Structures are given as C-alpha cells and as structure tokens.
C-alpha cells in the first residue's frame, strides 16, 4: 500500500498530490505535463518533494516534518523507466541480477527462473542489451526491477517508446505481473487503451493534482470526468464473466451485474473475468421494450443522470443492475423522450458493436 | 640497443608509468569535480588544471624546483621529516611529467564522464546501489574507454616530457636521463648525430606503439558496450 501526500514546486508549476495505491494496478493517468513522472520520481527518491509524506507498506520513505528522506537505494522499489535503461556493459543476466545481488538472500522473494519464464527471456540471458529488440529490452528491464523484490513496482510509460505490435505483445505480460508476483504496481500513462487494459484503480491527474481517483469502472462511466479521461472515445467499462460461447453463431455471452451481454465471439475460457468497453455512441435508449428487433441486447435500466454535452449531444448515464452505462444521444432524441433521473428505460446494444478488442481479460487483484 | 639506450628507455617507461599511475586517482577526482559539480570558483580550478597545457614547460619545472626543491617550501619539509628528496631524482621527473600531462588526462576522462547517461546511474540507485557502488559498478565501466584514452595520452605526453624535467631534475645519467634528455645531450655532443638518430627512432616507435595500443583497446571496449 502506497500512501503519498506531497507538494513540490517546479518552476512555475505546482505539484500537490494526494494518492493511495493498494493491491493490483493503479494507473496514474493524465496528459503530458500534468506531473505524472514527477510523482513517480518522488516516490522513487529521484526527486525531492518540498514537503509532505510518502509511505509504502507502513514504511516511511519521506516525511518532511520528521526530517526523513531515504536514499533511492534504501527504498526497495522497482522502477521501470520509459526508456529501458539497461546497463550496456552487462549481459542480460548481469542486468537481471543487478538489484537482486544487492539483497540479502533471505529477502529475495522473487524467483529468478519464474521471472525469466513469465517474461520469456530465457534465450536472451547471455546477450548484451544492444543486441535486443525494443520489446525485449523492456521485458528485461521489467525483470530486473521485479528481481529486486520491490515493495511496489513503479512503471513510467513503459510502452510509450514501442511500436503498437511490441505494445500488444507486452501488455498481457504487464497485466498479469501484479497478481503473479503479488506486487502492487503504480503505472503512469497517457495512453487510455493501456489504462483500460491494466488498471484496477484509476487516478486522473490534471495540472499537478490528482483530480479524482477510484475504481476504473466507476470513473470511466462518469461523463463529468470527460475533460480528464478525454482524447478517447466516450464509453463505459463494465466487469463481466464469460458465460458461454456459441460457435455456430459466432457470439459469446457475458454475464454482468445488469444481465447477460451478447457480444462478438472471443477466445476467453468460460468463467474468465473480463472487462468490456461499451462505447457511448453504440447504445440506444428505448422507453418501452422493443419487440421483434435485431438488436440482441435489450437491458432494463434506470436513468441516473442526464447532462447536455454540447448543444447537440446529451450524456445519459444509466444504471444497469448497478453497472453504470454511459449513453450519448442527440438533443433531439432527448427533446422527444424527455428522460429524467429515476426513469425506467431499456438500453439497446448491438452485439456486433462489442468487438474482440473491446473485451480484455481482467482478474481481480 | 646500446646500454645507454636501454637505460634511457627503461627510465622513460618507469618515470611515465609512475607519473600516470600516481595522477590517475587525482585525474578522476578532478574530472568528476568539473563534470558533475557546480561550485563558486569552478572556472579558476578549471583554468589551474589546464595551465600546464599552455605554460612553457620550463616555467612548470622552475615552479616545481621552488616548491619541491631541497630548500623549497614543501621540499625542505619533506626532507626534514621524511628524509625524502625529490629534486634531481627520478621521482621528481615523474612528478614533472605528471603535472605536464595532467590536463590531457583530465580532459579525456571528463569528456567520457559527461557522456555517461545519468539515467543509468539513477536506475542503479533504484536497484539498491549507493552512490559509491553505483560509481564502481556502472559509471566507471561506462567511462572506461575515455579513462583509457586519458591514460595513454598522458603516458605518451610523459614520455616526451623535456622542458619541465630538465629544469626540475636536470640530466643525471641513470636517474633522470630519460629518452628526450639523452637525445638532447647527444645533439649537443660532437659526433653524436648517429646515436641521436637512433634515439629518435626509438622515441617514435614507443610513442606510436602507445597510441596504437590505446586505439585498439578503446575499440574493443566500445565494441563490448555495443555488442
């Protein structure tokens, strides 16, 4: 558990951050220049807060009031940088054991062979970093940080320097890391697709502060946070469990708080926990349940809020058995339907609009 | 080679070897100071370190004589307390060479230090290395090619040192008569031309071998970092 409350002035920029990060992946999301990297550097001890307190698992790393400021090497944190920062004069093996060798044997909680296997770097051990591809380098860098048996793993946009193919290859690794090694991760990113895939908890940063933090599903369904989550297609994220596959029709059934969701066929095993992204533009609202309609998902819901987005669009949030769904309708539709909070309606979602890419595996932390 | 040539060559290698070995730790420290630290008067320190590069070597030799000579400020103290004499000995020749070659060494090391990615040092810190350990396990290996260049350059410069040496420790056979000094003495001797020419060739060969060795070693080190 990371608890942090720090202030730091950087030129004309004022950072004032309060944040708690527990088990699983906490994503620190914000646009470039919002101070994300500074936060992670202060946790690592590479930047010094002007004042405040940083604590991990009850161990105080920094406390301006008590005059505590542990050196980076005494903080026991793993840091994966945006650029891999592997030591060019050491082999992959030498890099991997670099931090581990500085630990007393009793404190080496992470197993070397397991890390090598999970990251698939067994064949690279005797190579030098200069001979590795970008994705391989970053995997070795992750292994190096993990093998230092850190209290928490800090990742500063570890995929930003990679092309999309490498990124797609690394994302599943990162998604399983926190659970497999029981290490919480603080993940800094300005790419919403990574955040949606990885984060359990989302902290939205804006102009040097954490504007809001909470479970990803709740934050993503909140149109009021649109300016912060922005730059990404509007939509809600719901947690679901794969209920069945229907190979004959090429569809899968997912069960979630609001009922059963029919989506395009995916490859997750039955029973797998997944996260589904439903775009706000792909949902329609009907007051009466339509009959004889092609739309496969007709879900009873209650209107939670109705907010004009601009002069032509209205954001409507529905509660579908407790799961928030974000719907965008035209102002004209709203004028005719007259939606108000508390109204019972039906959310209509075409199965086809939820494609493979919108469903991602996601175990609980 | 004649006994005189062997003696002069051996003495040159001894003097230069000690000059480099003795000044390397100080060279590393000065390079670190100039590359990594900011302090008032840094320009003055920088200037002082580089002064021997532009001063006539005779001036350096004379200053050394005044300071380290038997009656010099430091020299008399050294003699009284430790019975050590520096002026007119091979140790004095090594010191003169070291002072003259020092700027070359510092420059090369400083450049390589400035080329080291501080991000790698930060990474080492987050992996549990204190500052000293980080220096020896990351910084120093990465700047090794530059250190090597500095060592060879200053070694070669020491081999060719003449002005400061002859002023400070004079020309004493078997003690301070290094290659350049033996060569100079021969050119002043009637009929010494042939012998002087032989010494010339020896000087060129030794200096060239040093440069070549440095280039080869440096290439191998660079290749190790890249491959």
């Amino acid at each position: 558990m990371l608890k942090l409350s720090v202030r730091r002035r950087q030129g004309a920029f004022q950072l004032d951050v309060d944040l708690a990060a527990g088990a699983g992946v906490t994503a620190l999301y914000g646009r470039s220049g919002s101070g994300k990297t500074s936060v992670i550097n202060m946790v690592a001890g590479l930047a010094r807060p002007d004042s405040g307190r940083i604590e991990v698992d009850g161990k105080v790393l920094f406390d301006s009031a008590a005059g505590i400021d542990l050196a980076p090497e005494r903080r026991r944190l793993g840091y994966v940088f945006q650029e891999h920062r592997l030591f060019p004069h050491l082999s992959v093996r030498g890099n991997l054991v670099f931090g581990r060798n500085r630990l007393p044997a009793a404190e080496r909680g992470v197993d070397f062979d397991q890390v090598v296997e999970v990251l698939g770097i067994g064949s690279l051990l005797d190579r030098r970093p200069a001979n590795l591809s970008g994705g391989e380098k970053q995997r070795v860098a992750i292994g190096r940080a993990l093998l230092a048996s850190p209290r928490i793993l800090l990742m500063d946009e570890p995929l930003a320097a990679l092309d999309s193919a490498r990124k797609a290859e690394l994302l599943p690794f990162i998604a399983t890391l926190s659970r497999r090694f029981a290490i919480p991760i603080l993940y800094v990113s300005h790419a919403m697709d990574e955040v949606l895939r990885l984060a359990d908890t989302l902290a939205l940063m804006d102009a040097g502060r954490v504007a809001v933090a909470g479970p990803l599903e709740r934050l993503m369904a909140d149109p009021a946070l649109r300016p912060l989550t922005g730059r990404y297609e509007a939509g809600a994220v719901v947690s679901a469990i794969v209920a069945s596959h229907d190979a004959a029709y090429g569809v899968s059934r997912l069960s979630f708080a609001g009922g059963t969701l029919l989506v395009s066929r995916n490859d997750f095993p039955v029973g797998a926990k997944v996260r589904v992204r439903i775009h706000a533009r792909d949902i329609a609202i009907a007051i009466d349940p339509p009959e004889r309609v092609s739309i496969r998902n007709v879900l009873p819901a209650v209107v939670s809020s109705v907010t004009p987005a601009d002069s032509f669009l209205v954001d409507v949030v529905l509660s579908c058995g407790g799961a928030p769904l974000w719907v965008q309708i035209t102002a004209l539709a709203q004028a005719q339907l007259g939606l108000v909070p508390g109204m019972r309606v039906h959310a209509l979602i075409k199965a086809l609009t939820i494609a493979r890419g919108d469903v991602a595996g996601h175990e609980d932390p | 080679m004649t006994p005189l040539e062997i003696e002069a060559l051996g003495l040159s290698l001894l003097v230069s070897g000690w000059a480099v070995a003795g000044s390397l730790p100080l060279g590393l420290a000065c390079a670190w100071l100039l590359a990594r630290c900011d302090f008032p008067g840094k320009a003055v320190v920088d200037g002082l370190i580089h002064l021997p590069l532009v001063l006539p070597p005779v001036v350096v030799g004379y200053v050394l004589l005044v300071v380290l000579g038997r009656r010099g400020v430091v020299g008399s103290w050294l003699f009284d307390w430790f019975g050590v004499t520096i002026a007119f000995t091979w140790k004095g020749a090594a010191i003169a060479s070291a002072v003259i070659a020092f700027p070359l060494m510092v420059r090369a090391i400083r450049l390589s230090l400035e080329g080291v990615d501080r991000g790698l040092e930060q990474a080492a810190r987050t992996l549990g290395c204190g500052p000293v350990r980080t220096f020896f396990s990351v910084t120093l290996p990465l700047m090794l090619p530059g250190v090597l260049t500095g060592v060879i350059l200053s070694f070669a410069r020491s081999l060719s040192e003449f002005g400061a040496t002859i002023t400070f420790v004079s020309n004493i056979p078997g003690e301070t008569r290094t290659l350049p000094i033996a060569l100079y003495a021969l050119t002043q001797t009637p009929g010494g031309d042939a012998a002087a020419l032989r010494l010339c060739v020896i000087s060129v060969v030794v200096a060239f071998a040093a440069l070549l060795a440095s280039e080869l070693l440096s290439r191998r080190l660079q290749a190790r970092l890249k491959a």
Side-chain angles (χ1 to χ4, degrees):
Chain A
M1 182 76 181
L2 164 74
K3 282 189 219 158
L4 145 139
S5 167
V6 289
R7 278 148 296 283
R8 177 182 156 93
R9 182 152 206 95
Q10 306 187 128
F13 188 65
Q14 179 71 42
L15 266 171
D16 186 348
V17 177
D18 288 279
L19 180 69
V25 179
T26 302
L28 197 56
Y29 175 85
R31 55 190 69 124
S32 314
S34 57
K36 306 182 298 285
T37 299
S38 301
V39 171
I40 221 170
N41 278 338
M42 285 191 281
V43 176
L46 299 178
R48 198 172 188 279
D50 296 332
S51 66
R53 187 183 154 89
I54 303 170
E55 181 190 311
V56 176
D57 291 344
K59 171 129 179 124
V60 179
L61 307 182
F62 180 86
D63 188 339
S64 56
I68 297 172
D69 183 11
L70 287 189
E73 63 269 21
R74 297 185 54 210
R75 297 194 176 199
R76 278 284 296 278
L77 310 170
Y79 197 146
V80 179
F81 300 89
Q82 190 170 338
E83 345 74 63
H84 54 88
R85 297 201 190 175
L86 294 178
F87 304 121
H89 60 297
L90 300 177
S91 65
V92 166
R93 187 191 301 275
N95 271 282
L96 285 172
V97 299
F98 190 91
R100 174 189 169 84
N101 283 351
R102 267 114 198 123
L103 282 179
E107 291 178 33
R108 295 176 190 170
V110 177
D111 184 53
F112 182 85
D113 296 328
Q114 194 193 356
V115 168
V116 168
E117 193 210 310
V118 168
L119 293 173
I121 48 181
S123 60
L124 311 175
L125 291 178
D126 296 319
R127 306 248 291 263
R128 294 218 172 242
N131 294 333
L132 304 181
S133 72
E136 288 169 339
K137 283 179 192 164
Q138 206 55 293
R139 270 189 277 164
V140 174
I142 292 170
R144 181 178 71 174
L146 273 175
L147 281 167
S149 302
R151 293 190 177 97
I152 183 171
L153 191 58
L154 310 171
M155 304 184 99
D156 183 14
E157 311 204 18
L159 305 179
L162 304 179
D163 59 51
S164 52
R166 299 283 145 259
K167 220 165 146 170
E169 170 194 308
L170 256 163
L171 261 171
F173 284 120
I174 299 177
T176 60
L177 282 184
S178 179
R179 269 164 283 276
R180 264 210 233 194
F181 296 99
I183 296 173
I185 296 179
L186 181 60
Y187 190 97
V188 161
S189 180
H190 71 271
M192 191 42 100
D193 56 337
E194 291 172 26
V195 170
L196 289 176
R197 184 67 203 273
L198 299 173
D200 300 296
T201 307
L202 177 60
L204 295 172
M205 272 202 82
D206 184 39
R209 332 175 123 258
V210 172
V212 58
L216 178 106
E217 283 88 350
R218 185 167 65 70
L219 263 49
M220 287 313 292
D222 189 346
L225 298 175
R226 177 93 172 112
L228 297 177
T229 55
R231 292 199 309 174
Y232 202 76
E233 211 176 329
V237 177
V238 300
S239 297
I241 293 174
V242 179
S244 66
H245 297 297
D246 187 338
Y249 287 107
V251 291
S252 300
R253 286 186 183 78
L254 313 176
S255 69
F256 80 114
T260 300
L261 205 56
L262 201 71
V263 303
S264 302
R265 173 100 155 90
N266 58 52
D267 300 325
F268 292 97
V270 171
K273 289 183 176 169
V274 294
R275 190 179 255 176
V276 189
R277 203 150 58 84
I278 307 172
H279 300 269
R281 285 166 184 272
D282 290 341
I283 308 180
I285 296 176
I287 292 182
D288 304 310
E291 283 163 19
R292 310 210 325 159
V293 63
S294 75
I295 292 176
R296 290 297 85 200
N297 297 301
V298 179
L299 305 162
V302 178
V303 176
S304 311
S305 71
V306 180
T307 332
D310 57 37
S311 35
F312 306 113
L313 280 179
V314 176
D315 283 319
V316 180
V317 177
L318 304 178
S319 169
C320 199
L325 286 182
W326 176 4
V327 188
Q328 274 187 342
I329 58 173
T330 57
L332 180 64
Q334 164 63 5
Q336 290 177 353
L337 292 177
L339 299 173
V340 290
M343 243 170 112
R344 297 191 168 275
V345 296
H346 292 83
L348 314 183
I349 311 165
K350 287 183 72 170
L352 274 179
T353 59
I354 302 173
R356 269 161 185 268
D358 294 320
V359 182
H362 195 86
E363 297 294 324
D364 292 327
Chain B
M1 289 202 290
T2 66
L4 179 140
E5 284 162 4
I6 292 172
E7 180 197 279
L9 177 61
L11 204 53
S12 269
L13 294 177
L14 175 83
V15 164
S16 302
W18 276 104
V20 171
S23 56
L24 183 57
L26 195 63
L28 280 168
C30 285
W32 184 275
L33 207 65
L34 294 178
R36 290 287 173 88
C37 304
D38 253 324
F39 52 91
K42 183 172 167 178
V44 177
V45 173
D46 198 0
L48 276 175
I49 289 172
H50 283 92
L51 208 52
L53 208 57
V54 288
L55 273 180
V58 181
V59 173
V60 175
Y62 185 69
V63 170
L64 284 174
L65 195 58
V66 168
V67 176
L68 290 175
R70 183 71 67 82
R71 288 195 208 91
V73 191
V74 180
S76 62
W77 178 82
L78 278 177
F79 183 72
D80 290 346
W81 284 87
F82 302 103
V84 174
T85 312
I86 290 173
F88 306 112
T89 64
W90 69 266
K91 293 176 216 108
I95 290 176
S97 296
V99 172
I100 294 290
F102 196 60
L104 291 173
M105 175 183 278
V106 173
R107 274 183 92 86
I109 297 176
R110 177 185 179 176
L111 267 177
S112 68
L113 183 54
E114 282 168 349
V116 171
D117 179 1
R118 311 275 312 250
L120 293 175
E121 295 176 349
Q122 289 187 334
R125 296 292 300 276
T126 65
L127 289 164
C129 282
V132 175
R133 198 151 197 173
T134 298
F135 176 77
F136 284 106
S137 58
V138 174
T139 318
L140 193 57
L142 291 178
M143 57 193 274
L144 216 51
V147 173
L148 192 78
T149 307
V151 162
I152 301 282
L153 265 179
S154 64
F155 183 77
R157 179 67 188 86
S158 295
L159 281 177
S160 62
E161 215 314 288
F162 174 76
T165 308
I166 201 159
T167 314
F168 183 35
V169 296
S170 184
N171 170 9
I172 303 166
E175 184 72 33
T176 66
R177 193 166 67 187
T178 57
L179 275 177
I181 289 173
L183 178 53
Y184 176 74
L186 281 173
T187 60
Q188 303 297 306
T189 315
D193 288 350
L197 197 65
R198 285 174 59 92
L199 277 182
C200 270
V201 172
I202 293 173
S203 298
V204 170
V205 168
V206 172
F208 194 70
L211 289 177
L212 206 65
S214 122
E215 182 61 28
L216 286 177
L217 258 172
S218 170
R219 265 195 214 169
R220 274 186 62 176
L221 282 175
Q222 293 284 6
R224 265 192 61 193
L225 289 186
K226 292 204 178 92

